[in-house]
Amino acid sequence: MGEYRGIHLNPRLAAAAALVRPGRVAADVGTDHAYLPAHLIGSGICPRCVAGDIGEGPLNNARETVLACGVGDRVALVLSDGLADPAFRAADDIVIAGMGGEMIAAILTRAPYLLDPRYRLILQPMTRAEEVHLFLAEHGFSIVEERAVTDAGKVYLILAAEYDGTVRHLSGAQPYIGTLCGTQSPDAARFIEKQRRRFQKELEGIADLPSRAERAREIRAILADLERALKGA
């Protein structure tokens, strides 16, 4: 095995790596260049990883990375649509980063074996974080840590969740910001403010339409929640 040459992770992947439990086997779904698995193994966080992608091209990129970093013997590379390949069942911490929230929720829905406390889900939706929050709440997962991170001028949410079997009902702004609070960090405040602008824009478009009065009331309630979250209330 060659000497490990460090991988420089972007802020999103670095945040994901920080949520992986040391000593566990990690899986990277949609791995692309396998930067995350190479870092996790090379830095001693994980003994082994499973890295999967739906495309041959990205998987070839992944192979080049792990071989160049000298960790190829500890990364199982699989051609897989989401978590379909059985190799993922050997992992403890499942990372799905860089996809839309709807796609992440769809991948998790097709892997019911994850309804088990042994697994930790580390999820970083690029868009529609509410789809991820709603999936987790409806399927009995609790969020054990959640943060926001700025990468290339845009702010994203990332979280770690574990199964406890308790179904939760989310209301108001909860699907959109999860457990984030504006006093948690400047990035968290930025993410909440981004959501506030999103709903403010929608409200401005329907406020004078009698046919959308119910939706306008819903948005005002969400906006009130977002204001409280920004203030840390």
Side-chain angles (χ1 to χ4, degrees):
M1 183 178 68
E3 180 183 356
Y4 171 64
R5 292 185 290 278
I7 290 288
H8 176 71
L9 299 180
N10 64 34
R12 289 187 301 104
L13 289 182
L19 293 175
V20 173
R21 295 172 294 181
R24 306 299 180 101
V25 176
D28 185 22
V29 181
T31 193
D32 196 6
H33 285 77
Y35 293 146
L36 180 62
H39 168 80
L40 291 172
I41 293 175
S43 59
I45 297 172
C46 296
R48 294 181 292 111
C49 287
V50 181
D53 207 288
I54 195 172
E56 290 277 8
L59 209 60
N60 287 334
N61 294 334
R63 186 172 292 106
E64 290 179 5
T65 297
V66 298
L67 291 175
C69 291
V71 297
D73 59 334
R74 287 179 282 169
V75 180
L77 297 173
V78 295
L79 187 67
S80 179
D81 182 1
L83 287 159
D85 194 286
F88 285 111
R89 293 174 182 253
D92 305 296
D93 290 16
I94 311 291
V95 181
I96 310 179
M99 302 183 193
E102 289 176 304
M103 182 175 291
I104 291 174
I107 289 172
L108 296 175
T109 298
R110 297 194 299 268
Y113 67 87
L114 294 174
L115 303 180
D116 184 325
R118 68 162 278 200
Y119 294 107
R120 168 176 283 199
L121 305 181
I122 299 166
L123 310 173
Q124 186 273 299
M126 301 294 282
T127 58
R128 297 189 66 82
E130 62 269 24
E131 300 293 340
V132 172
H133 285 130
L134 289 169
F135 173 90
L136 295 174
E138 292 167 4
H139 289 82
F141 288 88
S142 65
I143 294 174
V144 297
E145 189 169 348
E146 188 160 24
R147 63 183 70 168
V149 60
T150 296
D151 190 345
K154 296 183 179 181
V155 63
Y156 303 97
L157 177 145
I158 186 164
L159 62 85
E162 296 172 6
Y163 181 76
D164 65 7
T166 301
V167 175
R168 295 163 174 84
H169 172 71
L170 302 184
S171 61
Q174 287 179 312
Y176 306 97
I177 62 171
T179 61
L180 291 185
C181 172
T183 58
Q184 179 181 337
S185 71
D187 286 338
R190 283 192 65 200
F191 189 86
I192 297 169
E193 175 60 23
K194 181 176 78 169
Q195 299 290 52
R196 191 196 69 79
R197 291 195 303 269
R198 165 186 172 182
F199 285 103
Q200 187 62 48
K201 183 177 180 179
E202 183 181 353
L203 181 61
E204 290 169 359
I206 67 172
D208 297 328
L209 301 176
S211 63
R212 304 301 307 278
E214 179 60 30
R215 177 57 178 166
R217 282 193 290 272
E218 292 174 358
I219 294 174
R220 290 189 180 97
I222 292 171
L223 285 169
D225 277 358
L226 292 171
E227 293 288 354
R228 286 190 288 269
L230 278 170
K231 297 174 183 176

